[in-house]
C-alpha cells in the first residue's frame, strides 16, 4: 500500500517520510517557491523541483511573525522562506482513498504555524484519515495591498497573499495526495480563529471551487456587516498599505522589497482578507445570499467564554463595564443591545465576557449556520463548547483544540477521565464528518443537523446533548441590529436622510394642525 510507504513521488520530486508513533509523517514539503526577493508580495509560484530524494524528516521554519499562537506554543525558527506543508499518513490501512483533512491555523493572520506540537496530525490519522497542515504568509508579508502592487499584478489586485498560499496548498493536495493514499475528491478544510475566518473566505472564493468538499470552522468567520469596513475593500486596503509604506520610510516598492523581513514585521500591521474582485469577488455574506458560494458540507461552532480573551490588561467593574465595551464596539451598539446595568462587579465581568463572545464569535457562527441552511444543498452541523479544561477560567478561545487533535498530554494538566472521553468523542466527530459529511457514528451522542426550522446544536459541556443555544435570545437581538445596519449599507445613507426628512415633515404637519386647532378654539 502506498499509504504505508515512506518514499513518495510528488510533482516536485521524491520525498521520504519518517515513522513516528505508528504513523508516517512527511515534514517540510515545499508547496510553492520561496516567496522572497522579487517574489515577495506576489502570488505563490510552483515549487522548484529537486533531484534525488528529499528527506522530509524535519519541519520547515514558520512564517515571519511577532508573538506566537497559541500563546503557549514553543518557539520555532522563522524565515520568509516558509511555504511548506506536513502530511501524516496512517500505516495500518489497506485503503488508498483515504479522506484528507487540511488544517489552516489561527493567529489573527499575523502569527501561528503549521508545526506547533498541538497541531500534530498523528492522533487524527489513527482514525483513518490523512492530515495535512500548511504554513501561509502572515501580517504585512501576507496581506499588504498597495497601488503599485496592484499595477504589477496580472489580475490588477494586491493583498490576500496568505489566502493565495492556502489555495496553493489545496492545489498541491489535489495534485499529490493520491500518491500518499489520499482521495483528492474528499478533502475537508478545518481551522480555528483566523483559520476559520480564512475558510469562510475560501467558501466564497471562485478560485477554491472543487478544491475541498467539506469545511469545519471553529470560532471565526467573515460575516459581520461591521467587518465590511474600508480596509476590507481593495481601495481601502491599498490606502492602509500606503500608510504602512510611509511608516516604513520606504521610497518605493523596490526599496521595500530590499528590506529585511524582520524589519517589515517589526511594524504593526492589521491583516485581514480583502474583497479584491479576484480572490474574493464579494463578501462571504453576499456570496451566500446570492447562492454563489462553494456549496460544501459544514460543521461549525464556538465556545461559551470566548470573551475571556479580551480581559487582558483591563479592569471591568460595574462602574467601567459600559465604557470598556465602548472601546471595542460603536457606542450605538452598546447602548442598543449591550448588557443591562450590572448589580455588582461579578455580574459586570460575566456580562462583559458574554457580550464580547456573542458579538465576536457566537452570533457569527450561528449566522453562518443559518446562511448555509438557507442557501446550501449540503447539511450544516452547529456546536457550542462550554467545557472548561482543568485550571482554565472557562471555555475560552481555542481550548477545544486540545480535544479535537487528541493532544491532552502536551499540557501538564490534571486531566480527568471525562476530559479524555471528550477528546475521543470530538476527534471521532471531526473525522467522521471528514469521511462522510456527517459527524454521527456508533456510540456517539446524536448530533442533529441544523435547519431553519430546527435550530439545534450539539452542546458540549459537562455532558454532551443537543438542543437550542443557551444564548439564542441574545443572538437574535444582535441579528436584528445587524439587519438594520445592512439595510442602511445596502440602500445608502441617502435613504436614511429621506426617511428622516419624511418623519420631520409629518411631525411638522401634525404640529401645525394642532396649533391651528388651538388658535381656532381661542
Amino acid at each position: 500500500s502506498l499509504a504505508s510507504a515512506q518514499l513518495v513521488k510528488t510533482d516536485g520530486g521524491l520525498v521520504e517520510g519518517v515513522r513516528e508513533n505508528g504513523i508516517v509523517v512527511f515534514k517540510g514539503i515545499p508547496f510553492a517557491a520561496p516567496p522572497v526577493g522579487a517574489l515577495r508580495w506576489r502570488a505563490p509560484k510552483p515549487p522548484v523541483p529537486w533531484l534525488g530524494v528529499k528527506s522530509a524528516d524535519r519541519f520547515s521554519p514558520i512564517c515571519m511573525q511577532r508573538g506566537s499562537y497559541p500563546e503557549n506554543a514553543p518557539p520555532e525558527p522563522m524565515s520568509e522562506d516558509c511555504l511548506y506543508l506536513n502530511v501524516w499518513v496512517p500505516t495500518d490501512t489497506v485503503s488508498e482513498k483515504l479522506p484528507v483533512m487540511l488544517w489552516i491555523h489561527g493567529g489573527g493572520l499575523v502569527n501561528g504555524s503549521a508545526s506547533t506540537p498541538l497541531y500534530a496530525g498523528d492522533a487524527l490519522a489513527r482514525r483513518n484519515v490523512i492530515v495535512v497542515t500548511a504554513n501561509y504568509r502572515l501580517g504585512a508579508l501576507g496581506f499588504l495591498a498597495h497601488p503599485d502592487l496592484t499595477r504589477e499584478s496580472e489580475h490588477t489586485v494586491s493583498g490576500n497573499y496568505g489566502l493565495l498560499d492556502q489555495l496553493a496548498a489545496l492545489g498541491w493536495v489535489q495534485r499529490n495526495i493520491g500518491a500518499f493514499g489520499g482521495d483528492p475528491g474528499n478533502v475537508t478544510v478545518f481551522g480555528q480563529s483566523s483559520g476559520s475566518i480564512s475558510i469562510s473566505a475560501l467558501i466564497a472564493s471562485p478560485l477554491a471551487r472543487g478544491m475541498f468538499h467539506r469545511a469545519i470552522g471553529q470560532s471565526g468567520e467573515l460575516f459581520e456587516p461591521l467587518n465590511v469596513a474600508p480596509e476590507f475593500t481593495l481601495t481601502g486596503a491599498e490606502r492602509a498599505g500606503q500608510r504602512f509604506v510611509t511608516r516604513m520610510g520606504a521610497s518605493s516598492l523596490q526599496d521595500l522589497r530590499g528590506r529585511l523581513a524582520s524589519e517589515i514585521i517589526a511594524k504593526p500591521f492589521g491583516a485581514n482578507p480583502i474583497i479584491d474582485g479576484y480572490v474574493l469577488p464579494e463578501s462571504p455574506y453576499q456570496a451566500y445570499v446570492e447562492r454563489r458560494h462553494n456549496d460544501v458540507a459544514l460543521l461549525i461552532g464556538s465556545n461559551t467564554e470566548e470573551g475571556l480573551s479580551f480581559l487582558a490588561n483591563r479592569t471591568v467593574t460595574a462602574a467601567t463595564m459600559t465604557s470598556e465595551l465602548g472601546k471595542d464596539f460603536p457606542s450605538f451598539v452598546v447602548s442598543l443591545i449591550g448588557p443591562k446595568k450590572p448589580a455588582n462587579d461579578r455580574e459586570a465581568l460575566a456580562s462583559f465576557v458574554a457580550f464580547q463572545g456573542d458579538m465576536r464569535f457566537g452570533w457569527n457562527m450561528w449566522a453562518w449556520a443559518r446562511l448555509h441552511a438557507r442557501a446550501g444543498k449540503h447539511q450544516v452541523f452547529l456546536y457550542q463548547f462550554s467545557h472548561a479544561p482543568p485550571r482554565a477560567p472557562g471555555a475560552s478561545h481555542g481550548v477545544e483544540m486540545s480535544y479535537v487533535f487528541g493532544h491532552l498530554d502536551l499540557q501538564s494538566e490534571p486531566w480527568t477521565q471525562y476530559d479524555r472521553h471528550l477528546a475521543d468523542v470530538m476527534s471521532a466527530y471531526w473525522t467522521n464528518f471528514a469521511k462522510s459529511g456527517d459527524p454521527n457514528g456508533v456510540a456517539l451522542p446524536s448530533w442533529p443537523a441544523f435547519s431553519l426550522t430546527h435550530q439545534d446544536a450539539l452542546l458540549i459541556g459537562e455532558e454532551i446533548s443537543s438542543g437550542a443555544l443557551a444564548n439564542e435570545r441574545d443572538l437574535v437581538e444582535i441579528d436584528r441590529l445587524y439587519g438594520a445596519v445592512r439595510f442602511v449599507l445596502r440602500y445608502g445613507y441617502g435613504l436614511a436622510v429621506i426617511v428622516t426628512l419624511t418623519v420631520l415633515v409629518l411631525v411638522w404637519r401634525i404640529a401645525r394642525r394642532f396649533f391651528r386647532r388651538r388658535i381656532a378654539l381661542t
Side-chain angles (χ1 to χ4, degrees):
S1 166
L2 282 174
S4 61
Q6 290 174 233
L7 196 65
V8 176
K9 184 178 182 182
T10 72
D11 58 1
L14 287 167
V15 291
E16 185 174 18
V18 290
R19 290 179 180 270
E20 292 180 358
N21 304 319
I23 298 293
V24 176
V25 57
F26 299 81
K27 303 175 182 179
I29 302 175
F31 67 87
V36 300
L39 294 186
R40 180 185 283 176
W41 296 309
R42 293 188 193 273
K45 303 295 183 188
V48 179
W50 57 91
L51 297 173
V53 177
K54 183 178 182 62
S55 181
D57 61 350
R58 65 187 63 188
F59 293 118
S60 73
I62 65 176
C63 292
M64 299 297 296
Q65 58 194 271
R66 295 192 304 165
S68 61
Y69 186 81
E71 288 182 6
N72 61 354
E76 299 179 79
M78 283 190 300
S79 171
E80 193 174 4
D81 177 7
C82 63
L83 297 185
Y84 299 82
L85 52 76
N86 317 296
V87 185
W88 283 264
V89 183
T91 57
D92 56 351
T93 177
V94 295
S95 170
E96 292 187 7
K97 284 285 189 178
L98 290 174
V100 182
M101 299 181 73
L102 172 68
W103 172 252
I104 302 176
H105 69 76
L109 302 178
V110 294
N111 49 31
S113 89
S115 48
T116 194
L118 176 61
Y119 305 151
D122 53 330
L124 290 175
R126 287 190 195 95
R127 295 180 179 273
N128 250 20
V129 299
I130 289 177
V131 178
V132 180
T133 65
N135 287 329
Y136 57 93
R137 282 171 283 180
L138 302 164
L141 292 168
F143 292 90
L144 178 74
H146 191 278
D148 291 346
L149 289 170
T150 299
R151 275 190 285 273
E152 73 175 24
S153 158
E154 63 177 304
H155 299 287
T156 59
V157 296
S158 59
N160 283 338
Y161 303 107
L163 290 180
L164 287 165
D165 294 342
Q166 294 167 14
L167 286 161
L170 281 163
W172 183 94
V173 166
Q174 286 298 311
R175 297 190 309 274
N176 293 289
I177 209 64
F180 293 82
D183 182 1
N186 187 5
V187 176
T188 298
V189 287
F190 69 129
Q192 184 265 347
S193 196
S194 59
S196 182
I197 288 173
S198 298
I199 287 168
S200 73
L202 293 173
I203 281 180
S205 176
L207 303 185
R209 188 153 295 143
M211 284 192 168
F212 61 93
H213 315 90
R214 322 188 201 287
I216 299 174
Q218 301 165 213
S219 305
E221 54 60 66
L222 198 63
F223 292 100
E224 295 174 36
L226 301 179
N227 263 352
V228 190
E231 62 268 24
F232 285 82
T233 66
L234 180 58
T235 303
E238 287 176 336
R239 290 196 191 110
Q242 287 174 310
R243 292 192 294 272
F244 178 80
V245 171
T246 300
R247 290 199 303 275
M248 287 292 301
S251 58
S252 66
L253 193 57
Q254 185 177 356
D255 177 10
L256 201 59
R257 279 202 171 109
R259 300 288 182 92
L260 292 173
S262 56
E263 187 183 347
I264 290 168
I265 64 154
K267 294 284 184 189
F269 181 85
N272 55 261
I274 300 162
I275 300 165
D276 61 359
Y278 172 59
V279 179
L280 271 179
E282 57 195 337
S283 72
Y285 176 87
Q286 197 61 30
Y288 265 104
V289 168
E290 302 296 337
R291 310 289 205 274
R292 288 193 284 260
H293 64 295
N294 300 322
D295 200 14
V296 297
L298 189 65
L299 186 156
I300 53 175
S302 61
N303 303 344
T304 51
E305 279 93 36
E306 306 264 13
L308 287 168
S309 306
F310 304 94
L311 280 175
N313 305 316
R314 302 173 89 154
T315 304
V316 177
T317 65
T320 65
M321 181 193 75
T322 300
S323 61
E324 286 295 329
L325 287 173
K327 294 175 182 178
D328 297 334
F329 305 102
S331 56
F332 79 92
V333 170
V334 179
S335 61
L336 284 174
I337 61 171
K340 297 181 298 182
K341 185 177 174 62
N344 51 52
D345 291 352
R346 179 182 288 184
E347 189 178 303
L349 192 64
S351 296
F352 175 92
V353 168
F355 189 70
Q356 289 275 5
D358 287 346
M359 288 291 291
R360 295 176 184 273
F361 302 101
W363 175 85
N364 309 297
M365 309 312 281
W366 176 71
W368 191 356
R370 291 170 69 230
L371 283 166
H372 197 86
R374 184 182 295 121
K377 299 169 189 170
H378 293 283
Q379 289 183 310
V380 53
F381 294 87
L382 179 67
Y383 73 85
Q384 188 175 62
F385 187 89
S386 61
H387 175 69
R391 293 202 285 246
S396 57
H397 192 56
V399 298
E400 84 288 355
M401 289 192 290
S402 293
Y403 299 93
V404 168
F405 279 95
H407 285 321
L408 300 188
D409 292 328
L410 283 175
Q411 304 167 56
S412 56
E413 298 282 347
W415 300 108
T416 66
Q417 187 176 347
Y418 181 70
D419 285 308
R420 298 192 184 282
H421 167 71
L422 194 54
D424 284 341
V425 168
M426 291 189 72
S427 298
Y429 279 136
W430 263 235
T431 51
N432 286 348
F433 179 79
K435 292 169 185 175
S436 68
D438 187 334
N440 289 288
V442 177
L444 292 174
S446 176
W447 187 340
F450 179 96
S451 70
L452 296 177
T453 52
H454 295 91
Q455 297 191 24
D456 284 347
L458 188 74
L459 308 175
I460 308 171
E462 300 320 300
E463 60 180 26
I464 303 171
S465 61
S466 60
L469 298 173
N471 57 340
E472 187 173 338
R473 184 178 297 179
D474 296 328
L475 303 183
V476 169
E477 285 295 308
I478 298 171
D479 198 57
R480 286 174 180 156
L481 174 67
Y482 282 170
V485 171
R486 281 203 177 89
F487 181 85
V488 172
L489 289 172
R490 181 173 182 181
Y491 295 105
Y493 291 96
L495 181 61
V497 171
I498 291 169
V499 170
T500 303
L501 289 174
T502 303
V503 170
L504 288 173
V505 169
L506 287 172
V507 170
W508 166 246
R509 285 179 177 174
I510 291 168
R512 191 170 59 174
R513 284 181 186 174
F514 173 78
F515 285 116
R516 277 179 179 171
R517 255 184 220 165
R518 290 290 298 272
I519 292 167
L521 287 171
T522 54

